[in-house]
Structures are given as C-alpha cells and as structure tokens.
Amino acid sequence: MTFAVETQNLRYRAGKEFALSDVNLHVPAGSIYGFLGPNGAGKTTTLRLILGLLRAEGGRITVLGQPMPHSYVDVLARVGYVPDRPHVHPSLTVSESMELHAAFHARWDARWAAELQGQFRLGASQRVGSLSKGETGELVMLLALAQTPDLLVLDEPTDGLDPVVRRDVLEALLAYVSEREATVLISSHLVHELERICDWIGVMDRGGLVAEL
C-alpha cells in the first residue's frame, strides 16, 4: 500500500504540559482519512508538523513520497491546506482573494474556482471582512480546492458552521476526491460527520495515536 502521509515515531513537546509521543500515522494515497480526537489531543500540532510549520524533535515524516521538512518546497506546491483559523485578508474582495491565491499556485484552476464560487454563492465584490463565518469557511475551502492539490489537509474545516454550509463544503470535497483521485487528511472532533465520508480513521488522545483503522 502506498501512503500519501506517513510518520514514524514522531515526537514533539510544547512546554511542560503537552507532548506528542511516537505518533505513527499512515494515510493511504487516494483515501479520505479522518483524524479524530477531542480538542487538545494533538491533532493540529500533528498536522502542522506534517506540513513543516513546526519542527519535530524526533521521528520521520514523509509526504507524497518525499521527506519533510527537507522537501517542503516541492511538497507544499502539491498540498492544499485549510487551517483551524481562516487565513484570508479581510480588506480584499472575494475576487481579489482568488486572484491573490492564484498568483502563488501554478496549478490553480480558474474555471473550477469560478464554479465553486457560484456553488457557494459568494459574490465577487463582497469584502472578506463582511462575510459570515460560514461564507468565510466556504471561501477558504474554495481557495484550497482550486489549487488542484494531490493532498488536502483540513483542520476542523466545518467547525462552527451551520448544517447547510457543512453539507455544501463536504459535497465539494467529495466531488473533488472523486474527480481528481486526491488524498484528504481531515481532522475533527465530530465523529458522526466523518464516519459518513471516511475510508480510514485515526484517533488521537493526549498526544498519542491510540487507534488507526
């Protein structure tokens, strides 16, 4: 089996109160992998280590067949990321946000971005700072999907969104996976939501991966 993401004995300490201990994560290529666990379990820290946003104290990380963070330039060009906190500029319009994001991603699909904009009912001239939480969540997902990544890393992408917006976001995600055969690593504490869409599940608790199935 080929893995899009694999960690071996991954270790990291954040102060005296929290540490990741020997995390061995295996995300099969082409799958939707649900990364479950309560808030504070270490999911976000693990995702940031995988993406090279934090530096591990021990262990190995391989993403899309390449070592991280050593190959982060090549790897991140093929990764779409939705963080737990939106990373959009409030002073820009939706259209300007899309243009800015496209400038940094050679694989940007302008036609599909426009389709997603219509699907999510986002007005081109709307200021990002005036968007609702749900609309902001849809915009961030649009930006990640339109990069046409081989791997999508999503950190609580539907947290706090209403049911209709959650449905629209998950439908767009499933359509992308079906059409592009991409891999998705999605973290959440909402078990009922992920169990409907995931091929594999990993469960984090207190800094350790306690189950993978």
Side-chain angles (χ1 to χ4, degrees), residues 135-195:
E135 290 170 331
T136 301
E138 289 174 323
L139 175 60
V140 173
M141 181 64 75
L142 180 160
L143 297 177
L145 288 172
Q147 294 173 216
T148 63
D150 296 317
L151 170 65
L152 272 166
V153 178
L154 312 176
D155 193 359
E156 302 277 3
T158 62
D159 188 32
L161 305 184
D162 67 58
V164 173
V165 174
R166 283 211 293 271
R167 180 202 63 198
D168 290 346
V169 166
L170 292 176
E171 283 182 356
L173 176 63
L174 291 172
Y176 178 77
V177 172
S178 175
E179 292 175 10
R180 310 276 179 151
E181 297 183 352
T183 304
V184 178
L185 173 55
I186 177 171
S187 95
S188 180
H189 59 277
L190 303 174
V191 177
H192 68 281
E193 184 171 86
L194 292 193
E195 68 181 359

Coordinates of all heavy atoms in Angstrom, one line a residue, residues 135-195:
E135 N -19.6 31.6 5.2 CA -19.1 32.1 3.9 C -17.6 32.1 3.9 O -17.0 31.8 2.9 CB -19.7 33.5 3.6 CG -21.2 33.5 3.3 CD -21.7 34.9 3.2 OE1 -21.2 35.8 3.9 OE2 -22.7 35.1 2.5
T136 N -17.0 32.5 5.0 CA -15.6 32.5 5.1 C -15.0 31.1 5.0 O -14.0 30.8 4.3 CB -15.1 33.1 6.5 OG1 -15.6 34.5 6.5 CG2 -13.6 33.1 6.6
G137 N -15.7 30.1 5.7 CA -15.3 28.7 5.6 C -15.4 28.2 4.2 O -14.5 27.5 3.7
E138 N -16.4 28.6 3.4 CA -16.6 28.2 2.0 C -15.5 28.8 1.2 O -14.9 28.2 0.3 CB -18.0 28.6 1.5 CG -19.1 27.8 2.1 CD -20.4 28.3 1.7 OE1 -20.6 29.6 1.6 OE2 -21.4 27.5 1.5
L139 N -15.1 30.1 1.4 CA -14.1 30.7 0.6 C -12.7 30.0 0.9 O -12.0 29.8 -0.1 CB -14.0 32.2 1.0 CG -12.8 33.0 0.4 CD1 -12.9 33.0 -1.2 CD2 -12.8 34.4 0.9
V140 N -12.4 29.7 2.1 CA -11.1 29.1 2.4 C -11.1 27.7 1.7 O -10.0 27.3 1.2 CB -10.9 29.0 3.9 CG1 -9.7 28.1 4.2 CG2 -10.8 30.3 4.6
M141 N -12.2 27.0 1.7 CA -12.2 25.7 1.1 C -12.1 25.9 -0.4 O -11.4 25.1 -1.1 CB -13.6 25.0 1.4 CG -13.7 23.6 0.7 SD -12.4 22.4 1.3 CE -13.1 22.0 2.9
L142 N -12.7 26.9 -1.0 CA -12.6 27.2 -2.4 C -11.1 27.4 -2.8 O -10.6 26.8 -3.8 CB -13.4 28.4 -2.8 CG -13.4 28.9 -4.2 CD1 -14.7 29.8 -4.5 CD2 -12.2 29.7 -4.6
L143 N -10.4 28.2 -2.0 CA -9.0 28.5 -2.3 C -8.2 27.3 -2.2 O -7.2 27.1 -3.1 CB -8.5 29.5 -1.3 CG -9.2 30.9 -1.3 CD1 -8.6 31.8 -0.2 CD2 -9.1 31.6 -2.7
A144 N -8.4 26.4 -1.3 CA -7.6 25.1 -1.2 C -7.9 24.2 -2.3 O -7.0 23.6 -2.9 CB -7.9 24.5 0.1
L145 N -9.2 24.0 -2.7 CA -9.6 23.1 -3.8 C -9.1 23.6 -5.1 O -8.7 22.8 -6.0 CB -11.1 22.9 -3.8 CG -11.7 22.1 -2.6 CD1 -13.2 22.2 -2.7 CD2 -11.3 20.7 -2.7
A146 N -9.2 24.9 -5.4 CA -8.9 25.4 -6.7 C -7.4 25.3 -7.0 O -6.9 25.5 -8.2 CB -9.3 26.8 -6.9
Q147 N -6.6 25.0 -6.0 CA -5.1 24.8 -6.2 C -4.9 23.4 -6.9 O -3.8 23.1 -7.4 CB -4.4 24.7 -4.9 CG -4.3 26.0 -4.1 CD -3.7 25.7 -2.7 OE1 -4.1 26.3 -1.8 NE2 -2.7 24.8 -2.6
T148 N -5.9 22.6 -7.0 CA -5.9 21.2 -7.5 C -4.8 20.4 -6.9 O -3.9 19.9 -7.6 CB -5.8 21.2 -9.1 OG1 -4.6 21.8 -9.5 CG2 -7.0 21.9 -9.7
P149 N -4.8 20.3 -5.6 CA -3.7 19.6 -4.9 C -3.8 18.1 -4.9 O -4.9 17.6 -5.1 CB -3.9 20.1 -3.4 CG -5.4 20.4 -3.3 CD -5.8 20.9 -4.6
D150 N -2.7 17.4 -4.8 CA -2.7 16.0 -4.7 C -3.1 15.5 -3.3 O -3.6 14.4 -3.1 CB -1.4 15.4 -5.0 CG -1.0 15.7 -6.4 OD1 -1.8 15.5 -7.3 OD2 0.2 16.0 -6.7
L151 N -2.9 16.4 -2.3 CA -3.2 16.2 -0.9 C -3.9 17.4 -0.3 O -3.4 18.5 -0.4 CB -1.9 15.9 -0.1 CG -2.1 15.8 1.4 CD1 -3.0 14.6 1.9 CD2 -0.7 15.7 2.1
L152 N -5.0 17.2 0.3 CA -5.8 18.2 1.1 C -5.6 17.9 2.6 O -6.0 16.8 3.0 CB -7.2 18.2 0.7 CG -7.7 19.1 -0.5 CD1 -9.1 18.7 -0.9 CD2 -7.6 20.6 -0.2
V153 N -5.1 18.9 3.3 CA -5.0 18.8 4.7 C -6.0 19.8 5.4 O -5.9 21.0 5.2 CB -3.6 19.1 5.2 CG1 -3.5 19.0 6.8 CG2 -2.6 18.1 4.6
L154 N -7.0 19.3 6.0 CA -8.1 20.1 6.5 C -8.2 20.0 8.0 O -8.4 18.9 8.6 CB -9.4 19.7 5.9 CG -9.4 19.5 4.4 CD1 -10.8 19.0 3.9 CD2 -9.1 20.8 3.7
D155 N -8.1 21.1 8.7 CA -8.1 21.1 10.2 C -9.4 21.7 10.7 O -9.6 22.9 10.6 CB -6.9 22.0 10.7 CG -6.7 21.8 12.2 OD1 -7.5 21.0 12.8 OD2 -5.7 22.4 12.7
E156 N -10.3 20.9 11.1 CA -11.6 21.3 11.6 C -12.3 22.2 10.6 O -12.8 23.3 10.9 CB -11.5 22.0 12.9 CG -10.9 21.1 14.0 CD -11.8 20.2 14.7 OE1 -13.0 20.1 14.3 OE2 -11.4 19.5 15.7
P157 N -12.5 21.8 9.3 CA -13.0 22.7 8.3 C -14.4 23.1 8.4 O -14.9 24.1 7.9 CB -12.7 22.0 7.0 CG -12.8 20.6 7.4 CD -12.2 20.5 8.7
T158 N -15.2 22.3 9.2 CA -16.6 22.6 9.3 C -17.0 23.0 10.7 O -18.2 23.1 11.0 CB -17.5 21.4 8.9 OG1 -17.2 20.3 9.8 CG2 -17.2 21.0 7.5
D159 N -16.0 23.2 11.6 CA -16.3 23.6 13.0 C -17.0 24.9 13.1 O -16.6 25.9 12.5 CB -15.0 23.6 13.8 CG -15.2 23.8 15.3 OD1 -16.2 23.2 15.8 OD2 -14.4 24.5 15.9
G160 N -18.2 24.9 13.7 CA -19.0 26.1 13.9 C -19.8 26.5 12.8 O -20.5 27.5 12.8
L161 N -19.8 25.7 11.7 CA -20.6 26.1 10.5 C -22.0 25.5 10.7 O -22.2 24.4 11.3 CB -20.0 25.6 9.2 CG -18.5 26.0 9.0 CD1 -18.1 25.5 7.6 CD2 -18.4 27.5 9.1
D162 N -23.0 26.1 10.0 CA -24.4 25.6 10.1 C -24.5 24.4 9.2 O -23.7 24.1 8.3 CB -25.4 26.6 9.8 CG -25.4 27.1 8.3 OD1 -25.5 26.2 7.4 OD2 -25.2 28.3 8.1
P163 N -25.5 23.5 9.4 CA -25.7 22.3 8.7 C -25.7 22.4 7.2 O -25.1 21.6 6.5 CB -27.0 21.7 9.2 CG -27.1 22.3 10.6 CD -26.6 23.7 10.5
V164 N -26.3 23.5 6.7 CA -26.4 23.7 5.2 C -25.0 23.9 4.6 O -24.6 23.4 3.6 CB -27.3 24.8 4.9 CG1 -27.3 25.1 3.4 CG2 -28.8 24.5 5.3
V165 N -24.2 24.8 5.3 CA -22.9 25.1 4.8 C -22.0 23.9 4.9 O -21.2 23.6 4.0 CB -22.3 26.3 5.6 CG1 -20.8 26.5 5.2 CG2 -23.1 27.6 5.4
R166 N -22.1 23.1 6.0 CA -21.3 21.9 6.2 C -21.6 20.9 5.0 O -20.7 20.3 4.5 CB -21.6 21.2 7.5 CG -21.0 21.9 8.7 CD -20.6 20.9 9.8 NE -21.8 20.3 10.4 CZ -22.4 20.9 11.5 NH1 -22.0 22.0 12.0 NH2 -23.4 20.3 12.1
R167 N -22.9 20.8 4.7 CA -23.3 19.9 3.6 C -22.6 20.4 2.3 O -22.0 19.6 1.5 CB -24.8 19.9 3.4 CG -25.3 19.0 2.3 CD -26.7 19.4 1.9 NE -26.7 20.8 1.3 CZ -27.7 21.5 1.2 NH1 -28.9 21.1 1.6 NH2 -27.6 22.7 0.6
D168 N -22.7 21.7 2.0 CA -22.1 22.2 0.8 C -20.6 22.0 0.7 O -20.0 21.6 -0.3 CB -22.4 23.7 0.6 CG -23.9 23.9 0.3 OD1 -24.6 23.0 0.0 OD2 -24.3 25.1 0.5
V169 N -19.9 22.2 1.8 CA -18.5 22.0 1.9 C -18.1 20.6 1.7 O -17.2 20.3 0.9 CB -17.9 22.6 3.2 CG1 -16.5 22.1 3.4 CG2 -18.0 24.1 3.2
L170 N -18.8 19.7 2.3 CA -18.4 18.3 2.2 C -18.8 17.7 0.8 O -18.1 16.9 0.3 CB -19.2 17.5 3.3 CG -18.7 17.7 4.7 CD1 -19.5 16.9 5.7 CD2 -17.2 17.3 4.9
E171 N -19.8 18.2 0.2 CA -20.2 17.8 -1.1 C -19.1 18.2 -2.1 O -18.7 17.4 -3.0 CB -21.5 18.4 -1.6 CG -22.7 17.7 -0.9 CD -24.0 18.3 -1.4 OE1 -24.0 19.3 -2.2 OE2 -25.1 17.7 -1.0
A172 N -18.6 19.4 -2.0 CA -17.5 19.9 -2.8 C -16.2 19.1 -2.6 O -15.5 18.7 -3.6 CB -17.2 21.4 -2.6
L173 N -16.0 18.7 -1.4 CA -14.8 17.9 -1.1 C -14.9 16.5 -1.7 O -14.0 16.0 -2.3 CB -14.7 17.8 0.4 CG -13.6 16.9 1.0 CD1 -12.2 17.4 0.6 CD2 -13.7 16.8 2.5
L174 N -16.1 15.9 -1.6 CA -16.3 14.5 -2.1 C -16.2 14.5 -3.6 O -15.7 13.6 -4.3 CB -17.6 14.0 -1.7 CG -17.7 13.6 -0.2 CD1 -19.1 13.2 0.2 CD2 -16.8 12.5 0.2
A175 N -16.7 15.6 -4.3 CA -16.7 15.7 -5.7 C -15.2 15.8 -6.2 O -14.8 15.2 -7.2 CB -17.5 16.9 -6.2
Y176 N -14.4 16.6 -5.4 CA -13.0 16.7 -5.8 C -12.3 15.4 -5.7 O -11.5 15.0 -6.6 CB -12.4 17.7 -4.9 CG -10.9 17.9 -5.2 CD1 -10.5 18.7 -6.3 CD2 -9.9 17.3 -4.4 CE1 -9.2 18.8 -6.6 CE2 -8.6 17.5 -4.7 CZ -8.2 18.2 -5.8 OH -6.9 18.4 -6.1
V177 N -12.5 14.7 -4.6 CA -11.8 13.4 -4.4 C -12.2 12.4 -5.5 O -11.3 11.7 -6.1 CB -12.1 12.8 -3.1 CG1 -11.6 11.4 -2.9 CG2 -11.5 13.7 -2.0
S178 N -13.4 12.4 -5.9 CA -13.9 11.5 -6.9 C -13.3 11.8 -8.3 O -12.9 10.9 -9.0 CB -15.5 11.6 -7.0 OG -16.0 10.8 -8.1
E179 N -13.2 13.1 -8.6 CA -12.8 13.5 -9.9 C -11.2 13.5 -10.1 O -10.7 13.2 -11.1 CB -13.3 14.9 -10.3 CG -14.8 15.0 -10.4 CD -15.3 16.4 -10.6 OE1 -14.4 17.3 -10.8 OE2 -16.5 16.7 -10.6
R180 N -10.5 13.9 -9.0 CA -9.1 14.1 -9.1 C -8.3 12.9 -8.4 O -7.1 12.9 -8.5 CB -8.7 15.4 -8.4 CG -9.5 16.6 -8.8 CD -9.0 17.2 -10.1 NE -9.8 18.3 -10.5 CZ -9.3 19.4 -11.2 NH1 -8.1 19.4 -11.5 NH2 -10.2 20.3 -11.6
E181 N -9.0 12.0 -7.7 CA -8.3 10.9 -7.0 C -7.3 11.4 -6.1 O -6.2 10.9 -5.9 CB -7.7 9.9 -8.0 CG -8.7 9.3 -9.0 CD -8.1 8.3 -9.9 OE1 -6.8 8.2 -10.0 OE2 -8.8 7.6 -10.6
A182 N -7.6 12.5 -5.4 CA -6.7 13.1 -4.4 C -6.8 12.4 -3.1 O -7.7 11.6 -2.8 CB -7.0 14.6 -4.3
T183 N -5.9 12.7 -2.2 CA -5.9 12.2 -0.8 C -6.4 13.4 0.1 O -6.0 14.5 -0.1 CB -4.5 11.7 -0.4 OG1 -4.1 10.8 -1.3 CG2 -4.6 11.2 1.1
V184 N -7.2 13.0 1.1 CA -7.7 14.0 2.1 C -7.3 13.5 3.5 O -7.7 12.4 3.9 CB -9.2 14.2 2.0 CG1 -9.7 15.2 3.0 CG2 -9.6 14.7 0.6
L185 N -6.7 14.4 4.3 CA -6.5 14.2 5.7 C -7.3 15.3 6.4 O -6.9 16.5 6.3 CB -5.0 14.3 6.0 CG -4.6 14.3 7.5 CD1 -5.1 13.0 8.2 CD2 -3.0 14.4 7.6
I186 N -8.3 14.9 7.1 CA -9.3 15.8 7.7 C -9.4 15.6 9.2 O -9.8 14.5 9.6 CB -10.7 15.8 6.9 CG1 -11.7 16.7 7.6 CG2 -11.2 14.4 6.9 CD1 -13.0 16.9 6.8
S187 N -9.1 16.6 10.0 CA -9.2 16.4 11.4 C -10.6 17.0 11.9 O -11.1 18.0 11.3 CB -8.1 17.1 12.1 OG -8.4 18.4 12.5
S188 N -11.1 16.4 12.9 CA -12.3 16.9 13.5 C -12.6 16.2 14.9 O -11.9 15.2 15.2 CB -13.5 16.5 12.6 OG -14.8 17.0 13.1
H189 N -13.4 16.8 15.7 CA -13.9 16.1 16.9 C -15.4 15.7 16.7 O -16.0 15.2 17.6 CB -13.8 17.0 18.1 CG -14.6 18.3 18.0 ND1 -14.1 19.4 17.3 CD2 -15.8 18.6 18.4 CE1 -15.0 20.4 17.4 NE2 -16.1 19.9 18.0
L190 N -15.9 15.8 15.5 CA -17.3 15.4 15.2 C -17.3 14.1 14.5 O -17.2 13.9 13.3 CB -17.9 16.5 14.3 CG -17.9 17.9 14.8 CD1 -18.4 18.9 13.7 CD2 -18.7 18.0 16.0
V191 N -17.4 13.0 15.3 CA -17.3 11.7 14.9 C -18.4 11.4 13.9 O -18.2 10.8 12.8 CB -17.4 10.7 16.0 CG1 -17.4 9.2 15.5 CG2 -16.3 10.9 17.0
H192 N -19.7 11.8 14.2 CA -20.8 11.5 13.3 C -20.6 12.0 11.9 O -21.2 11.5 10.9 CB -22.1 12.0 13.9 CG -22.2 13.5 13.9 ND1 -21.5 14.3 14.9 CD2 -22.8 14.4 13.1 CE1 -21.8 15.5 14.7 NE2 -22.5 15.6 13.6
E193 N -19.9 13.1 11.8 CA -19.7 13.8 10.5 C -18.7 13.0 9.6 O -19.0 12.8 8.4 CB -19.3 15.2 10.7 CG -19.2 16.0 9.4 CD -18.9 17.5 9.6 OE1 -17.8 17.9 9.8 OE2 -19.9 18.2 9.7
L194 N -17.6 12.6 10.2 CA -16.6 12.0 9.4 C -16.9 10.5 9.1 O -16.4 10.0 8.1 CB -15.2 12.1 10.2 CG -14.6 13.5 10.3 CD1 -13.2 13.4 10.8 CD2 -14.7 14.2 9.0
E195 N -17.6 9.8 10.0 CA -17.9 8.4 9.8 C -18.6 8.1 8.5 O -18.6 7.1 7.9 CB -18.6 7.8 11.0 CG -20.0 8.3 11.1 CD -20.7 7.7 12.3 OE1 -20.1 6.8 13.0 OE2 -21.9 8.0 12.6

